[in-house]
């Protein structure tokens, strides 16, 4: 009888472990989080194993503009778009503001221009330092733009945006605690072995948004992607297929399975 009990206990333990493993394997990458009274959607993936890709133009050479267009292209190629979000700032023609590399090809060069304006009125892209989120043979990384250009890593995908939110574990010193410059914001962080994307559901300032990445998400480096009407998320599991008020998005970053 004792051996039977032990056998049943072992079987139950194995079943429980199997269920937990299956739940973890099928856990959705995006979920709501709160930080200091503000609501966010945070998507977490493995920095080295996830199939993250950048998308800009469709097969006709025109900007995708909508998440649904990217989802359709991925499905046509036999894949599934798990989630997607705006991958950086873009011009009125939906072209990237700065460096853009897709499938190893540099489609737009790095933008090292300087805007002549007071810091408070500078377009976000030009606030220093800005940076590059990229994927190479080792996984996902973020570097300040000048450092990226000095190193010239062999990137399969890369998008330039800015400003940097967190740099080697420190907040970008240009951010002001309690700033009234508040809007919806989106960004990406490298957090140990994970990549974490976050969009705010309400208005936040840069300082608080950067602290989300450093203090809650434990990211050593993080980069601002876009704000205001350019913030959006595609995630069928959450019922999200956001539309930009600009008439569409420029570069789009997505997780493919």
């Amino acid at each position: 009888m004792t051996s039977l009990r032990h056998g049943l206990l072992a079987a139950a333990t194995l079943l429980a472990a199997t269920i937990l493993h299956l739940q973890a394997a099928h856990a959705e990458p995006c979920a709501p989080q709160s930080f200091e009274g503000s609501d966010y959607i945070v998507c977490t993936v493995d920095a080295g194993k996830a199939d993250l890709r950048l998308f800009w133009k469709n097969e006709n050479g025109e900007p995708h503009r909508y998440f649904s267009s990217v989802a359709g292209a991925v499905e046509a190629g036999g894949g599934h778009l798990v989630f997607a979000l705006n991958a950086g700032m873009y011009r009125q023609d939906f072209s990237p503001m700065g460096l853009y590399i897709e499938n190893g090809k540099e489609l737009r060069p790095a933008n090292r221009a300087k805007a002549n304006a007071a810091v408070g009125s500078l377009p976000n892209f030009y606030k220093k330092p800005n940076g590059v989120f990229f994927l190479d043979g080792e996984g996902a990384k973020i570097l300040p733009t000048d450092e990226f250009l000095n190193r010239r890593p062999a990137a399969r995908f890369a998008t330039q945006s800015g400003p940097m939110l967190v740099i080697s574990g420190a907040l970008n010193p240009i951010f002001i605690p309690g700033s009234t410059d508040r809007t919806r914001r989106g960004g990406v962080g490298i957090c140990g072995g994970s990549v974490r994307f976050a969009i705010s559901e309400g208005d936040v300032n840069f300082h608080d948004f950067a602290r989300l990445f450093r203090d809650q998400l434990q990211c050593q480096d993080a980069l601002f992607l876009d704000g205001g009407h350019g913030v959006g998320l595609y995630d069928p599991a959450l019922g999200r297929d956001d539309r930009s008020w600009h008439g569409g998005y420029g570069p789009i970053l997505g997780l493919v399975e």
Side-chain angles (χ1 to χ4, degrees):
M1 184 65 87
T2 300
S3 60
L4 177 59
R5 270 199 226 96
H6 286 166
L8 290 172
L9 179 60
T13 301
L14 178 60
L15 178 61
T18 301
I19 291 172
L20 288 174
H21 175 75
L22 290 173
Q23 287 175 338
H26 293 89
E28 298 296 341
C30 302
Q33 286 197 31
S34 294
F35 178 65
E36 295 187 342
S38 294
D39 294 329
Y40 300 88
I41 300 293
V42 177
C43 304
T44 302
V45 298
D46 187 300
K49 297 179 180 179
D51 187 1
L52 291 168
R53 304 180 194 176
L54 283 166
F55 304 87
W56 175 23
K57 293 183 177 181
N58 60 26
E59 59 183 6
N60 297 320
E62 300 172 342
H64 281 287
R65 294 176 55 189
Y66 306 112
F67 294 133
S68 56
S69 174
V70 174
V74 170
E75 289 174 7
H80 169 64
L81 186 65
V82 181
F83 73 81
L85 70 165
N86 172 20
M89 293 166 215
Y90 47 95
R91 304 179 189 277
Q92 289 185 346
D93 63 356
F94 307 104
S95 63
M97 281 285 293
L99 177 71
Y100 182 82
I101 297 173
E102 185 176 323
N103 294 318
K105 296 181 180 180
E106 184 177 300
L107 302 181
R108 283 291 184 271
N111 184 342
R112 305 182 79 170
K114 296 181 179 179
N116 296 319
V119 173
S121 59
L122 274 177
N124 289 326
F125 183 90
Y126 298 103
K127 292 176 180 176
K128 299 299 181 183
N130 64 20
V132 178
F133 171 76
F134 64 100
L135 300 156
D136 62 11
E138 299 176 351
K141 300 173 185 175
I142 295 172
L143 287 173
T145 298
D146 288 345
E147 189 173 345
F148 178 91
L149 294 176
N150 287 337
R151 293 191 189 183
R152 287 289 179 180
R156 292 182 295 110
F157 295 95
T159 179
Q160 180 185 3
S161 192
M164 291 284 291
L165 298 170
V166 182
I167 309 165
S168 299
L171 298 185
N172 189 328
I174 69 172
F175 299 149
I176 302 169
S179 170
T180 57
D181 178 14
R182 298 170 61 86
T183 188
R184 292 188 67 213
R185 302 188 188 276
V188 58
I190 305 299
C191 323
S194 298
V195 186
R196 293 195 166 102
F197 303 92
I199 67 168
S200 68
E201 295 287 73
D203 295 345
V204 295
N205 63 36
F206 268 124
H207 190 269
D208 293 345
F209 192 50
R211 286 191 58 243
L212 166 79
F213 281 96
R214 187 193 66 177
D215 299 343
Q216 176 139 315
L217 304 182
Q218 301 295 300
C219 302
Q220 299 79 32
D221 296 283
L223 177 67
F224 179 67
L225 292 176
D226 209 346
H229 302 320
V231 176
L233 174 70
Y234 172 85
D235 184 347
L238 294 178
R240 297 283 290 265
D241 185 6
D242 298 350
R243 293 291 184 105
S244 168
W245 289 12
H246 298 148
Y249 299 103
I252 290 171
L253 200 154
L255 174 66
V256 175
E257 287 185 349

